Amino acid sequence: MKKKVIAIVGPTAVGKTKLSIELAKRFNGEIISGDSMQVYKGFDIGTAKIKPVEMQGIEHHMIDIRDPNEEFSAADFKENVQTYITEITSRGKLPIIVGGSGLYIQSTLYDYNFSTMKRDHDLTREMEESIASSGIMPLYNRLVKIDPEQANKIHPNNHRRVIRALEIYESTGKTMTEYQKAQTIESPYEPMLLGLEMDRDLLYNRINERVDVMMAEGLLEEVRDLYEKGYHACPSMKAIGYKEFIPYFEGVQSLDETIELLKRNSRRYAKRQFTWFKNKMDVTWYSVTPETINEKFGIIFEDLAGILK
């Protein structure tokens, strides 16, 4: 029989963490973070990483497993999480994946076969030198011509992903989009995808308020510490909640401008998360508000009760 796995998805600030704890308590579960940034040590406030007291004794995985200067890909995530799913199930418990990184969760649940070719370090170095001398746009524009669908998913500032997409094409003759479309549509698991959604204006207000709370909790100091330790050039610092502060530290942007930029980027990210899950995955959606969230949780528990016996 296939292993049962729950995945709780949806935009940031909608209530996924709270639901995961309640599900784990009711159905004997352990929680796996599905957030691509919570794997990094020191990235706590800006990633809304769950605090030990909030875990309520529930075992959590995929948190604080990498240093900020280490790379961590969707393929790494898939390998780690699939191991945890096996281990958690062997203990007679229910794996519950929680997070908003769509590709990471999808690749795990549907066993994406990422290209296993070895890295072409000479080609990588050549492209890195090109970026250093001419900037990213010549390479990014090349990716737009070769694989426009993949280029649309990658921000030009994400040099690592631009290089990797071009490297795959140059080494194999296939685009990354072609690799992804060749994946199997059948999951090796029995996945149950639960999505939380919220009225957009209400969600955006919650996101703005969350940023204010993060600032009060010390987000500025957290990012400054990472910046001063020399991590500002690492891929991890390109995450929302961290990259916005670099211009402030460099004296070209005010703190007020930084906070507003962070709020705007967080809202836009929430919109992209929602669109991804709506279009890419078979999710059962539950619309919530702060007033109805506990009532909706009760409905979710009832819906799962018969399935998880």
Side-chain angles (χ1 to χ4, degrees), residues 104-158:
Y104 283 51
I105 294 174
Q106 189 178 37
S107 67
T108 299
L109 293 180
Y110 292 91
D111 201 25
Y112 273 22
N113 180 25
F114 290 97
S115 174
T116 56
M117 67 177 185
K118 294 183 178 179
R119 300 301 301 257
D120 186 332
H121 294 293
D122 290 338
L123 181 58
T124 297
R125 185 164 52 251
E126 181 181 320
M127 286 190 279
E128 288 173 344
E129 291 172 354
S130 173
I131 292 171
S133 62
S134 306
I136 186 63
M137 291 314 297
L139 288 180
Y140 184 76
N141 289 335
R142 173 167 167 72
L143 180 61
V144 170
K145 292 179 182 179
I146 292 171
D147 190 357
E149 188 171 335
Q150 192 63 220
N152 190 50
K153 300 175 184 177
I154 302 174
H155 193 282
N157 288 343
N158 195 331

Side-chain angles (χ1 to χ4, degrees), residues 19 121 133 178 180 207 250 263-264 266-267 292 299:
L19 175 59
H121 294 293
S133 62
E178 288 176 311
Q180 291 177 352
I207 290 171
E250 294 175 347
K263 290 178 178 178
R264 187 200 71 181
S266 297
R267 294 192 300 267
T292 65
I299 294 172

Side-chain angles (χ1 to χ4, degrees), residues 86-306:
T86 299
E87 292 176 355
I88 292 168
T89 303
S90 72
R91 292 193 286 269
K93 294 195 171 186
L94 175 69
I96 303 172
I97 304 174
V98 187
S101 300
L103 175 61
Y104 283 51
I105 294 174
Q106 189 178 37
S107 67
T108 299
L109 293 180
Y110 292 91
D111 201 25
Y112 273 22
N113 180 25
F114 290 97
S115 174
T116 56
M117 67 177 185
K118 294 183 178 179
R119 300 301 301 257
D120 186 332
H121 294 293
D122 290 338
L123 181 58
T124 297
R125 185 164 52 251
E126 181 181 320
M127 286 190 279
E128 288 173 344
E129 291 172 354
S130 173
I131 292 171
S133 62
S134 306
I136 186 63
M137 291 314 297
L139 288 180
Y140 184 76
N141 289 335
R142 173 167 167 72
L143 180 61
V144 170
K145 292 179 182 179
I146 292 171
D147 190 357
E149 188 171 335
Q150 192 63 220
N152 190 50
K153 300 175 184 177
I154 302 174
H155 193 282
N157 288 343
N158 195 331
H159 298 178
R160 181 176 61 85
R161 288 188 63 194
V162 172
I163 289 173
R164 182 57 173 162
L166 287 172
E167 184 186 358
I168 286 175
Y169 177 75
E170 295 291 348
S171 301
T172 69
K174 287 185 178 182
T175 66
M176 187 173 286
T177 296
E178 288 176 311
Y179 272 109
Q180 291 177 352
K181 288 184 176 178
Q183 308 299 337
T184 178
I185 59 172
E186 182 178 352
S187 174
Y189 305 108
E190 187 179 331
M192 291 157 275
L193 282 80
L194 312 175
L196 298 181
E197 60 182 341
M198 185 177 287
D199 172 79
R200 181 173 295 179
D201 289 339
L202 182 57
L203 178 65
Y204 285 179
N205 285 335
R206 284 171 63 88
I207 290 171
N208 291 340
E209 291 170 358
R210 171 182 272 194
V211 170
D212 291 336
V213 170
M214 287 178 172
M215 291 300 296
E217 290 180 342
L219 177 59
L220 176 62
E221 291 73 24
E222 175 173 288
V223 186
R224 189 193 304 277
D225 180 61
L226 293 165
Y227 181 84
E228 291 179 348
K229 287 178 177 176
Y231 295 130
H232 53 279
C234 296
S236 58
M237 285 290 280
K238 291 181 172 60
I240 294 171
Y242 297 86
K243 64 181 180 181
E244 292 83 4
F245 288 90
I246 293 178
Y248 169 67
F249 296 142
E250 294 175 347
V252 298
Q253 182 174 278
S254 73
L255 183 57
D256 285 343
E257 289 171 331
T258 299
I259 294 170
E260 287 307 309
L261 181 61
L262 173 52
K263 290 178 178 178
R264 187 200 71 181
N265 288 348
S266 297
R267 294 192 300 267
R268 289 180 176 178
Y269 179 58
K271 182 179 179 180
R272 292 197 302 272
Q273 284 178 301
F274 187 67
T275 300
W276 172 283
F277 289 117
K278 281 282 188 179
N279 295 338
K280 299 281 188 180
M281 304 182 77
D282 183 17
V283 179
T284 301
W285 291 96
Y286 298 85
S287 182
V288 299
T289 68
E291 293 76 25
T292 65
I293 193 165
N294 290 327
E295 176 187 340
K296 288 298 175 72
F297 284 4
I299 294 172
I300 293 171
F301 302 149
E302 290 178 5
D303 290 346
L304 291 174

